[in-house]
Amino acid sequence: MLVKIVERVKEFSLPGKAGLVVILVVLLVAILAPYISIHPHNISSGPPLSPPGGGHPLGTDELGVDLWAQICYGARVSLLVGFGTALLAALGGGLIGIVSGYLGGWPDKVLMRLIDIMIVLPDLPVMIVLAAFFGPSLLNIILVLALFSWVFPARIVRSQILMLKERSYIKSAETYGAGVWYLMWKHFLPEVFPLVAVNMIRLSGRAIVAEAGLSFLGLGDPTSKSWGLIIHHATNFKGIYYTDFWKWWLLYPWLALIIMVISLAFISRELERMVDPRLGR
Amino acid sequence: MEYLFTIWILVTLNFLLPRAMPGDPFLYMSADEGQEVARFSEEQRQYYLEYYGLDRPVAGQYLSYMSDLLRGNLGYSLYYNEPVSTIILRRLPWTTFLVIAAVLLSTVFGTILGSISAWYREKWPDKFLFFCLILLSEVPAFLLGLVLLFTFAAGLGLFPLSGAITHFANYSSWWERLFDILHHAFLPVMALTIARLGGMYLLSRNSMTTVLEKDYLRTAWAKGLPKKRIIFRHALRNAMLPIVTRVFLSLGSLVGGAILVENVFAYPGLGHLMREAVMVHDYPLVQGIFLVVTICVLLANFLADLVYKKLDPRISDYSGIHGG
């Protein structure tokens, strides 16, 4: 398994490799956050709004909290939201896709109509309303994001199952009396899994952006300091436009977000091309 | 049909949400969190329950809610002290303006760049454009908006920092007023346009490449038609179909982007209003905006379906449009 992964990675193009390295670094930073952030991420540790340099590699915010520490811990929030949402969406969407594709008939029709509607529905207003009513906890945000993400894995899985169902080896397995569960475990899941796994990377990128957007509006979880929330505090600071504070307070979380999102996009583009050459848009 | 059904679900959701919320409306109406709770006497409680119709069965509340909605009554804003519909109607034009401008600009420029790329496929203009626009397509609009705001408005001072028009300005003529509006809208529209450009570019590049390989194009070349005529009459016309679909399908995410971008530039549209309403706990207003925005997007898609069937008679089946 591991050898296979290494072989695959060697086939990556340069942007794909760079993206992978960035994500691994972010992962390390998130895991090691308590050890590599010199200062605490939640209480003041120096003069407010001091520029980068000195004891604070990326400067401090308006309360004197170290920005590097905040970015380290923010990586945890971003990764949690991204991969949590993707996992939930892949599980739920995958299940729905299997039901829809394998059963066909009216469940399929109903689910397909639902998917059509979920795709056109604007997600942000719904998220704002739900966040406003149910309180902005990290768990709620992940649940709402998953609610809007499951349609993509569901569509992929459904079309794959529809295609596989007609294959002769599945037909013959069925004539030998293979049950639904047997087919699922032995034939459908191994075929479908790589496609869903690739889609999960794209979904986590979307989720990270959506969380950043909600936090930027001030509707994120106020207790978990994500990159979006740092941007929210920075842009709501009076006089941010007339001073130099944005050069570190706004720039670094902004850069972190952009680099993360673009790296995820590069990786998923690369993997999509490998799994299915027709998808390589 | 399913659009009507969706709208019904949204409306019902809107009705149920505040009723599913934990807590008592009396607690919520009478005190902010952390403040001393003003007590209602039992008679007062009864009076208000009757006044707001909360003593009636839920089905009856639902019926009166629906009939209110059909008459365009979205409730009363607690914070602005005005009917919700009046406030929304005042803000809606600004958002519509931003969204339509961004749709038009990104579609036009995306198609042009995509066609150039398809024409020079695998040569350097294609590779260069492809790389740049792939990068851009991943950057969310509000992060782009922040860059534009800090470089062009705050840094260089070329554009205003916030708002849609200069307050208390006296315009000597209508074109001065128009210029002021465009001046304010330029950066938000740019942020939305650039964020969408990548997607439109990729789509039109693909679509154009497929069309350019078709037999009828070879025929057109063989007939010796002028290049301009081939590109515009034969290739572009056929390549436009998937692009038109995409414009409407992605309207939902564009509206989401517009909500965020409005907040970056403090642009007085619905998105900015929605955030303000959430911040001051003005729930009727939040719900009103939610309904108006989602229903507008659904209606636009409904219209798109109709238009698309006219444009391409080969597709009469609804699901075919969303298949791509």
Side-chain angles (χ1 to χ4, degrees):
Chain A
M1 185 72 186
L2 201 69
V3 180
K4 244 186 171 175
I5 291 177
V6 172
E7 273 175 8
R8 277 284 162 89
V9 168
K10 273 187 185 160
E11 293 168 23
F12 271 31
S13 66
L14 193 64
K17 277 180 186 158
L20 198 66
V21 169
V22 168
I23 295 301
L24 287 178
V25 168
V26 173
L27 205 63
L28 269 180
V29 164
I31 294 169
L32 299 176
Y35 305 104
I36 55 174
S37 56
I38 320 145
H39 300 282
H41 71 286
N42 42 12
I43 48 170
S44 176
S45 61
L49 294 168
S50 54
H56 302 279
L58 302 184
T60 58
D61 69 3
E62 90 275 36
L63 299 172
V65 186
D66 185 56
L67 264 178
W68 167 241
Q70 287 187 43
I71 285 183
C72 289
Y73 279 88
R76 290 185 162 188
V77 180
S78 280
L79 288 175
L80 187 69
V81 167
F83 293 125
T85 307
L87 200 66
L88 260 182
L91 284 178
L95 201 70
I96 288 170
I98 287 175
V99 169
S100 182
Y102 192 76
L103 289 183
W106 67 264
D108 183 38
K109 272 195 188 126
V110 171
L111 286 169
M112 283 318 285
R113 284 286 175 268
L114 189 64
I115 287 175
D116 282 345
I117 285 162
M118 290 299 285
I119 285 175
V120 279
L121 207 61
D123 48 359
L124 195 72
V126 184
M127 282 182 213
I128 293 177
V129 165
L130 290 177
F133 276 109
F134 291 105
S137 81
L138 212 53
L139 181 69
N140 283 352
I141 289 174
I142 292 178
L143 286 177
V144 174
L145 288 175
L147 192 69
F148 273 93
S149 307
W150 63 268
V151 290
F152 303 101
R155 272 173 69 168
I156 293 172
V157 169
R158 176 181 174 271
S159 67
Q160 282 294 311
I161 298 271
L162 280 181
M163 198 186 75
L164 288 173
K165 226 167 53 170
E166 300 304 319
R167 289 279 176 83
S168 50
Y169 72 94
I170 300 280
K171 292 269 181 209
S172 60
E174 273 177 337
T175 47
Y176 279 109
V180 179
W181 293 110
Y182 179 85
L183 284 177
M184 207 65 80
W185 280 110
K186 290 283 175 184
H187 295 301
F188 289 153
L189 280 182
E191 285 287 327
V192 163
F193 181 75
L195 288 174
V196 174
V198 169
N199 189 240
M200 273 174 67
I201 295 178
R202 185 155 286 259
L203 289 182
S204 47
R206 279 172 47 105
I208 289 169
V209 169
E211 192 276 337
L214 274 179
S215 294
F216 165 72
L217 290 181
L219 298 173
D221 188 342
T223 56
S224 57
K225 202 142 193 186
S226 68
W227 295 338
L229 198 61
I230 305 176
I231 296 179
H232 169 72
H233 285 304
T235 48
N236 276 31
F237 181 75
K238 291 204 171 57
I240 186 85
Y241 303 119
Y242 309 108
T243 53
D244 278 344
F245 302 150
W246 64 268
K247 281 183 184 158
W248 61 93
W249 194 4
L250 197 63
L251 182 68
Y252 293 122
W254 187 90
L255 269 180
L257 258 176
I258 292 273
I259 291 174
M260 172 105 171
V261 169
I262 288 184
S263 309
L264 279 174
F266 276 155
I267 296 177
S268 68
R269 195 164 280 280
E270 208 70 37
L271 288 175
E272 272 166 17
R273 204 163 56 198
M274 277 183 184
V275 175
D276 188 353
R278 281 169 301 146
L279 284 178
R281 293 186 271 183
Chain B
M1 203 34 220
E2 52 249 39
Y3 285 105
L4 273 181
F5 185 68
T6 319
I7 289 174
W8 174 71
I9 287 188
L10 285 174
V11 165
T12 309
L13 189 76
N14 211 18
F15 169 79
L16 289 176
L17 265 180
R19 286 165 179 79
M21 206 168 45
D24 184 312
F26 285 95
L27 204 66
Y28 161 67
M29 292 270 304
S30 52
D32 284 333
E33 246 173 284
Q35 279 181 334
E36 199 182 326
V37 176
R39 298 236 173 244
F40 286 95
S41 71
E42 198 50 43
E43 291 95 72
Q44 276 173 319
R45 235 184 102 88
Q46 277 307 320
Y47 172 76
Y48 282 116
L49 273 178
E50 216 177 291
Y51 179 78
Y52 286 109
L54 290 173
D55 56 342
R56 286 183 295 147
V58 178
Q61 292 180 33
Y62 184 60
L63 278 179
S64 64
Y65 163 80
M66 288 299 250
S67 72
D68 270 357
L69 263 189
L70 284 179
R71 273 182 267 130
N73 178 4
L74 287 169
Y76 202 78
S77 161
L78 305 167
Y79 182 76
Y80 291 92
N81 217 12
E82 258 184 300
V84 168
S85 45
T86 326
I87 305 174
I88 291 181
L89 279 180
R90 202 163 53 225
R91 299 289 194 105
L92 187 62
W94 292 117
T95 304
T96 321
F97 170 52
L98 283 192
V99 168
I100 289 181
V103 163
L104 288 180
L105 286 174
S106 64
T107 310
V108 169
F109 286 107
T111 313
I112 292 175
L113 291 176
S115 308
I116 293 175
S117 223
W119 193 257
Y120 294 103
R121 182 120 182 145
E122 300 299 330
K123 295 195 187 95
W124 72 265
D126 175 40
K127 282 181 181 158
F128 175 74
L129 278 175
F130 189 74
F131 186 75
C132 291
L133 284 156
I134 287 265
L135 264 184
L136 270 185
S137 72
E138 301 298 340
V139 181
F142 78 101
L143 292 180
L144 265 174
L146 281 172
V147 178
L148 295 178
L149 180 66
F150 275 85
T151 46
F152 294 106
L156 298 172
L158 293 176
F159 293 95
L161 281 170
S162 66
I165 40 173
T166 314
H167 293 292
F168 315 114
N170 288 314
Y171 302 107
S172 54
S173 58
W174 64 268
W175 52 264
E176 212 165 280
R177 188 182 154 85
L178 183 73
F179 173 77
D180 193 39
I181 289 175
L182 290 180
H183 193 212
H184 278 81
F186 185 79
L187 288 182
V189 169
M190 271 302 118
L192 285 172
T193 306
I194 296 173
R196 268 174 66 86
L197 201 58
M200 298 316 291
Y201 161 81
L202 280 180
L203 189 73
S204 60
R205 176 175 175 266
N206 265 359
S207 174
M208 202 58 177
T209 320
T210 333
V211 171
L212 283 178
E213 286 162 1
K214 285 268 161 68
D215 285 340
Y216 57 77
L217 249 107
R218 192 170 303 162
T219 316
W221 282 115
K223 279 198 292 188
L225 292 176
K227 201 166 150 187
K228 242 187 200 158
R229 198 178 154 86
I230 292 178
I231 295 177
F232 288 104
R233 288 296 297 269
H234 292 246
L236 201 56
R237 245 183 149 183
N238 285 297
M240 276 313 279
L241 281 173
I243 299 172
V244 171
T245 324
R246 176 65 160 278
V247 166
F248 284 95
L249 267 184
S250 61
L251 209 56
S253 63
L254 181 67
V255 166
I259 290 179
L260 288 167
V261 167
E262 277 179 13
N263 280 295
V264 171
F265 293 96
Y267 200 80
L270 282 182
H272 194 58
L273 182 68
M274 192 171 192
R275 181 206 182 186
E276 278 173 359
V278 171
M279 289 299 163
V280 296
H281 299 282
D282 193 343
Y283 290 108
L285 187 55
V286 175
Q287 288 186 290
I289 298 170
F290 162 70
L291 264 191
V292 168
V293 168
T294 43
I295 289 177
C296 282
V297 171
L298 287 174
L299 281 180
N301 272 283
F302 175 64
L303 287 180
D305 280 355
L306 294 182
V307 171
Y308 200 82
K309 276 175 203 161
K310 279 258 155 62
L311 276 179
D312 190 357
R314 282 171 299 179
I315 295 185
S316 55
D317 160 37
Y318 169 84
S319 60
I321 303 172
H322 296 261

